[in-house]
Amino acid sequence: MSDITPTSSHTFQVDLRGLVDLLSHHLYSSPRVYVRELLQNAVDAITARRAFEPDAPGSVRIATDGQRLTITDPGVGLTVAEVHKLLATIGGSSKRDEEIEGARRDFLGQFGIGLLACFTVASVITVTSRSARERGAAAVRWSARDDGSYTVTELPAAEGPEAGTVVELTARPGEAWLEPGKVAELAREYGSLLPVDITVEGGGRTVRVTDTPPLWERTWPTATARRLALNAYCEATLGFAPLDIIDLDVPLAGIKGAAFVLPHATSPSARPAHRVHLKRMLLTDTADNLVPEWAFFVRCVVDTDALRPTASRESLYDDEALAVARDAVGAQIRDWLARLASADPARLEAFLAVHELGVKALARHDPDLLEAMLPWLRFETTDGRANLVDFARAHRPVYLAATVDEYRQVAQIAAAQGIGVVNGGYTYDAELVQALPRLDPQVKVESLQPGVISATLDALPVETELSLQAFLGAARAHLDAVDVDVVVREFNPVSVPALLLDDREARRERQRAEAEAEADDLWGGILASIKQHAPRAQLVLNHRNPTVRRVSAIGDPELAGTAVESLYGQALLMSHRPLRAADTALLNRSFMNLLEHVTKE
């Protein structure tokens, strides 16, 4: 005979109302997790029973009418003593029992507080259970209220389940969490991949929510059939038709699943949302630490049996094991890219048309992948959109423009002179260009300086240059206010009348001077103290251009200077650089002066 009386009343040694508030508002993101906790307990109970009775039944039945929900499992069950020990002890868990500790890796739960999460939707929880490990054991009923009280009752032999557990919830007034449609939706969301048969009854129909094994683990008649099924799954689950599918299999972390390539470009800083199942139970659909940051072009759906969840079981614990798994997943995505490069260039080009930025991000840190992908990656160069392999063969050295503005101001002239310049102003491009010599020591990469371009421009005959001195004097006087020198050269293409050349030091000095002019006395003095003697920018006029020749022949110094101001404005706009206040004032003045000149009678 048990020394426990048939019916006895007890009280939790905690503030249960406070605990419910803690669970619903701090530990769990939503009351919806109550369905996951019920399924978890049921599946773990079945797993525990099958550890000593392999042929034990394995189906879970949920029934609800909106006010009362029951979930029945044929699992290991509980004895009267276990009910007192486990259900009345916050943090207790049968999964810590020494008899089944060795099989713990097969269980979903880790923290033993899941049942109490049901108080977020229910006012009363009743557990009726009979142990399958002790023959002839009495059934026991544990009934708890959200005021912190509970009762434990031994049932007559004829009452209670044959073996296993029935959990009953009574809904809180006004709550809709136990409605049949909502329960079926949540059960399917959390438990569709669980290795047991789960049904939900209510509202006049019975719904089967499990669909196992996962699609990526099934045997398919053809590769096409498998791909079509995974495409449909991605559309239904993640909301997009994937550009491609990458199989993931990381035995070390117990990970199996698929990475679906996004069909549209996405920002590298966008927060990813990967769907992670833990031992077939949905853990989270917003995991952001499963893949390396560079792999922002995929969304994953995986199942793992080795990675650790956080206390709420709503995300992955970011520990060393997850870091190793993340690197392994990244390696498999990288291998997929390498396979495309070597065996399926058409699919690779379709992928790069959308996600070239992601590949460049990866190639920065992976020399093998960089070497494999360079023939496919495109860069903005003076030869148009080109790959670096062909471009480096045609140009020795390769010049790198550090910013988009630097590239734009010289691109047209450099192309005409046969100078090879790559625009390094876009994300990752400069790093990849600078990595070229590591792959091919014969390639030389140099930083683009204004002297590189000016050295290729043809000087004027001496007599021509002497004849232009008066014109140059007027031009320099007009552009002195914007700290720009004027020279005349001959270069191609003839259609370009003027070229504006300067370097980063000159631009920084002009920005400092402008800030000094606008600052108060204190900051103006500070900025004046860091003044640098940087070379002035140069406006290079193209003497081969007919307009420049006509302007240089103007006899009126004031009108000639105004025309040069207009040429400066065009060159400035062609370089796509922002206009300073002094530049804007000069352009407005030159425009008005030209209008005044042409409207004179």
Side-chain angles (χ1 to χ4, degrees), residues 373-395:
M373 297 302 296
L374 267 182
W376 307 99
L377 297 176
R378 297 293 182 266
F379 297 78
E380 186 176 10
T381 76
T382 46
D383 288 352
R385 294 286 293 176
N387 70 73
L388 291 182
V389 175
D390 293 339
F391 190 76
R393 289 196 190 105
H395 299 281

Side-chain angles (χ1 to χ4, degrees), residues 411-431:
Q412 195 172 8
I413 308 302
Q417 305 300 318
I419 301 172
V421 182
V422 181
N423 186 351
Y426 296 117
T427 307
Y428 309 132
D429 283 12
E431 294 176 74

Side-chain angles (χ1 to χ4, degrees), residues 9-51:
S9 296
H10 309 268
T11 302
F12 288 105
Q13 299 303 305
V14 296
D15 176 4
L16 190 56
R17 289 186 183 276
L19 180 61
V20 170
D21 179 73
L22 174 68
L23 293 175
S24 59
H25 294 102
H26 300 282
L27 182 60
Y28 297 120
S29 62
S30 166
R32 64 192 292 118
V33 299
Y34 86 92
V35 171
R36 184 193 65 194
E37 301 299 336
L38 291 174
L39 290 175
Q40 174 184 290
N41 287 339
V43 174
D44 283 349
I46 292 172
T47 302
R49 182 173 179 181
R50 285 179 171 175

Side-chain angles (χ1 to χ4, degrees), residues 24 51 121 173 228-229 251 275 291 303 311 381 505:
S24 59
V121 300
L228 289 175
R275 191 175 179 88
V291 304
D303 179 59
T381 76
E505 288 75 15

Side-chain angles (χ1 to χ4, degrees), residues 482 502 506-514 537 577 580:
V482 288
D502 66 350
R507 287 196 296 275
R508 281 197 292 266
E509 173 56 23
R510 287 202 305 275
Q511 290 169 354
R512 185 211 60 79
E514 186 173 10
R577 282 180 291 184
R580 298 169 296 161

Side-chain angles (χ1 to χ4, degrees), residues 542-592:
N542 185 4
H543 196 256
R544 290 177 183 165
N545 181 270
T547 301
V548 171
R549 286 201 299 271
R550 285 194 293 269
V551 168
S552 65
I554 296 174
D556 181 351
E558 188 64 29
L559 180 58
T562 299
V564 170
E565 288 177 345
S566 297
L567 290 173
Y568 167 72
Q570 183 199 36
L572 185 62
L573 295 174
M574 289 281 289
S575 68
H576 297 272
R577 282 180 291 184
L579 298 179
R580 298 169 296 161
D583 294 327
T584 302
L586 181 144
L587 293 179
N588 288 337
R589 184 175 67 250
S590 66
F591 179 71
M592 297 305 297

Side-chain angles (χ1 to χ4, degrees), residues 373-458:
M373 297 302 296
L374 267 182
W376 307 99
L377 297 176
R378 297 293 182 266
F379 297 78
E380 186 176 10
T381 76
T382 46
D383 288 352
R385 294 286 293 176
N387 70 73
L388 291 182
V389 175
D390 293 339
F391 190 76
R393 289 196 190 105
H395 299 281
R396 301 292 173 91
V398 172
Y399 290 102
L400 177 64
T403 67
V404 174
D405 288 343
E406 281 186 18
Y407 175 80
R408 286 172 174 170
Q409 75 177 0
V410 303
Q412 195 172 8
I413 308 302
Q417 305 300 318
I419 301 172
V421 182
V422 181
N423 186 351
Y426 296 117
T427 307
Y428 309 132
D429 283 12
E431 294 176 74
L432 296 177
V433 175
Q434 290 164 347
L436 274 176
R438 297 201 299 269
L439 301 178
D440 184 355
Q442 294 184 345
V443 175
K444 188 176 181 181
V445 176
E446 295 183 3
S447 177
L448 179 67
Q449 299 296 336
V452 173
I453 303 300
S454 59
T456 67
L457 307 181
D458 296 332

Side-chain angles (χ1 to χ4, degrees), residues 488-506:
V488 181
R489 295 288 186 270
E490 291 185 341
F491 55 85
N492 291 322
V494 175
S495 59
V496 177
L499 171 65
L500 184 63
L501 293 178
D502 66 350
D503 57 19
R504 275 163 281 175
E505 288 75 15

